[in-house]
Amino acid sequence: MKILVLGSGGREHALVWRLRQSPSVDHLWCAPGNGGICAEAECVPADLKDVAGVAGLAARLGTDLTVAGPEAPLVLGIADEFARRGLALLGPSKASARLEGSKVFAKEFMARHKIPTAQTFGIFDRADAARAALRTIDGPVVLKADGLCAGKGVLVTSERAEAEKFVARSLEQNEFGDSGTPLLIEEALQGTELSYMVLTDGEHIAPLAPTQDHKRAFDGDQGPNTGGMGAYSADGMLSPALEEQILSTIVRPTLAGLSMEQSPYNGFLYCGLMLTSSGPKVLEYNCRLGDPETQPLMMRFDSDLGAVLQATVEGQLDKAEVRWKPGASTCVVMASGGYPGPFEAGKPIAGLEAAAQISGAKVFHAGTRRQEAAYYTSSGRVLGVTAVGASLRAATDLAYQAAQKIHFDDAHYRNDIARSAQQTVGAGRD
Ligand code: AMP
């Protein structure tokens, strides 16, 4: 098979790396890719927002399958464009991608299909109406801009003044552009957050190994939210009873609802959940894999990924074998100093060869540029230093051992990725 992967981050590097080891894959492209990906796949320039252009590229290359990494091209309808041209793509249609592209659509969809989620207080186009509603609500609330806002469109707060400021930013100052309207106000749920991801052809479901990410910039979950400073995966993070509850109350009704309203969902579905005292409830859907979660996931994936993804687009996921390495894996993100605020790019990266010598570790590139034999930083998240082990402690120790070999000016990473979980899950054998 000839496969084209779309995207340029750590998620796509991990997919490319695993696909390269697939016996069924004989050629791999990545568009546009990054410095690290170019060492493992043929990188081709592309603007992923130009869905017709990307479909034309896939046709010219003669790909058998295209895998969409990020959400933007899916929300813009790349799956529909590929389908029109008879080209195979893994990822949901524009209509289904609204689960991620519109918080209001997702909320109304969940109401129609009785999928547990936070109570809606209102959906507002006008700031005065949103402010009036806030005055009637006691306690913490959540405000959500409708569209894609690169992680900046949600506020959880107990302070009315802060909530009113967010109303002004999204509905009056148009800080989020068209994505800011309408504004959804909902109940703040209490509990433990959990991400649950599946691969599905709309009918059959292959649950992915459980993962957890770390969103805050600094140790001890301090500092601003980021795209993700690390993630881990370990056996035992999720009990079989809870997993069945998530499948029966959330995942299956979601897929059945989409099949009924439009067409069977195809691709990865990510459910951001809150485990509350009255059961798991949906905080958000994503129509693709999480990043950095994909990096520890691909370290544990133990089947022919190309064959599994092809079976999915053919509606035959039940015939594919999806196995996971027992044990655990951990990804430590190395970021540019200052991220998620302003940072400098273009710093030379040293120590990648030394890190590559560590057996069980793999350095995925999230934001690098290659120039001749040298690598330079090119974005906020730079590398995902990832390792696999028999236990969460072993995997995490190995990831940090590899991270310590790597240097660039002002590099920043958290020192506590997976550390509190290693006491309770993924004990395995050290
Ligand atoms: P979202 O993009 O909808 O997942 O929101 C981003 C983050 O906001 C989530 O990961 C949660 O930490 C938090 N969040 C979203 N909705 C709620 C809610 N209803 N109650 C509590 N926290 C929430």
Side-chain angles (χ1 to χ4, degrees):
M1 258 199 297
K2 292 183 266 179
I3 298 192
L4 168 66
V5 174
L6 304 179
S8 59
R11 169 181 49 213
E12 288 76 24
H13 192 183
L15 287 168
V16 160
W17 172 77
R18 184 45 85 202
L19 283 167
R20 227 173 100 104
Q21 296 160 49
S22 279
S24 61
V25 176
D26 38 49
H27 198 90
L28 262 177
W29 293 274
C30 188
N34 65 33
I37 294 174
C38 293
E40 311 202 38
E42 189 183 331
C43 286
V44 279
D47 171 6
L48 300 190
K49 295 219 166 96
D50 172 12
V51 296
V54 176
L57 172 70
R60 272 198 309 284
L61 294 173
T63 57
D64 298 303
L65 175 65
T66 298
V67 179
E71 64 279 13
L74 292 165
V75 170
L76 289 171
I78 199 165
D80 310 67
E81 181 66 25
F82 270 63
R84 256 195 301 280
R85 298 182 186 216
L87 298 165
L89 178 130
L90 183 85
S93 65
K94 182 175 185 173
S96 291
R98 280 185 298 167
L99 279 186
E100 175 164 4
S102 166
K103 306 259 187 213
V104 170
F105 171 82
K107 210 70 198 169
E108 292 174 346
F109 174 88
M110 287 187 271
R112 283 197 294 282
H113 298 283
K114 303 195 169 38
I115 294 162
T117 182
Q119 187 198 332
T120 305
F121 291 136
I123 294 165
F124 304 95
D125 287 317
R126 293 195 20 219
D128 51 355
R131 281 194 208 97
L134 285 172
R135 284 196 286 277
T136 67
I137 305 165
D138 276 331
V141 289
V142 185
L143 289 85
K144 297 185 174 182
D146 183 51
L148 297 180
C149 298
K152 297 193 176 78
V154 175
L155 175 76
V156 184
T157 185
S158 307
E159 306 293 325
R160 186 162 314 150
E162 210 187 350
E164 289 189 2
K165 218 155 84 190
F166 192 85
V167 167
R169 284 169 56 207
S170 60
L171 295 180
E172 287 172 339
Q173 291 146 17
N174 289 329
E175 192 179 313
F176 308 118
D178 288 347
S179 295
T181 316
L183 182 72
L184 172 75
I185 303 186
E186 69 178 27
E187 165 199 17
L189 296 171
Q190 308 296 323
T192 308
E193 280 189 52
L194 176 86
S195 317
Y196 188 76
M197 287 182 267
V198 299
L199 175 63
T200 179
D201 58 16
E203 186 184 352
H204 313 102
I205 298 168
L208 307 189
T211 54
Q212 182 67 54
D213 70 344
H214 296 261
K215 282 264 186 273
R216 299 298 192 104
F218 307 126
D219 287 9
D221 289 332
Q222 301 296 307
N225 260 325
T226 70
M229 293 300 293
Y232 59 90
S233 169
D235 290 333
M237 284 168 63
L238 199 58
S239 74
L242 177 57
E243 179 158 29
E244 185 44 43
Q245 193 183 8
I246 294 169
L247 285 166
S248 63
T249 63
I250 293 167
V251 178
R252 288 190 203 109
T254 301
L255 298 177
L258 291 169
S259 290
M260 198 172 83
E261 290 187 7
Q262 40 222 243
S263 56
Y265 188 96
N266 176 275
F268 293 102
L269 177 69
Y270 174 121
C271 303
L273 307 175
M274 187 73 90
L275 304 179
T276 73
S277 54
S278 51
K281 297 188 178 180
V282 177
L283 298 176
E284 64 162 339
Y285 290 109
N286 292 331
C287 60
R288 37 78 194 175
L289 284 166
D291 190 3
E293 293 96 318
T294 306
Q295 302 175 53
L297 270 177
M298 287 300 115
M299 292 295 276
R300 295 191 62 199
F301 189 84
D302 202 20
S303 307
D304 182 332
L305 183 60
V308 170
L309 300 185
Q310 188 177 35
T312 308
V313 295
E314 289 171 353
Q316 306 208 325
L317 182 54
D318 56 324
K319 307 222 168 65
E321 188 192 28
V322 180
R323 271 192 329 259
W324 301 92
K325 284 196 183 90
S329 52
T330 301
C331 168
V332 176
V333 170
M334 295 185 77
S336 299
Y339 172 79
F343 57 84
E344 283 175 24
K347 314 263 188 202
I349 305 171
L352 289 168
E353 302 78 15
Q357 300 301 313
I358 297 177
S359 157
K362 169 74 191 170
V363 180
F364 295 117
H365 292 224
T368 69
R369 184 170 55 77
R370 188 164 68 159
Q371 205 174 322
E372 282 145 28
Y375 289 92
Y376 299 86
T377 65
S378 67
S379 70
R381 290 189 292 172
V382 176
L383 301 168
V385 185
T386 311
V388 65
S391 69
L392 194 51
R393 181 188 301 273
T396 308
D397 286 350
L398 210 54
Y400 276 109
Q401 213 180 309
Q404 279 154 14
K405 305 270 184 215
I406 301 172
H407 301 279
F408 51 88
D409 272 358
D410 301 329
H412 163 67
Y413 57 89
R414 278 181 59 161
N415 291 293
D416 62 347
I417 301 301
R419 287 304 189 198
S420 62
Q422 75 188 24
Q423 323 290 339
T424 48
V425 295
R429 282 172 296 106
D430 273 329

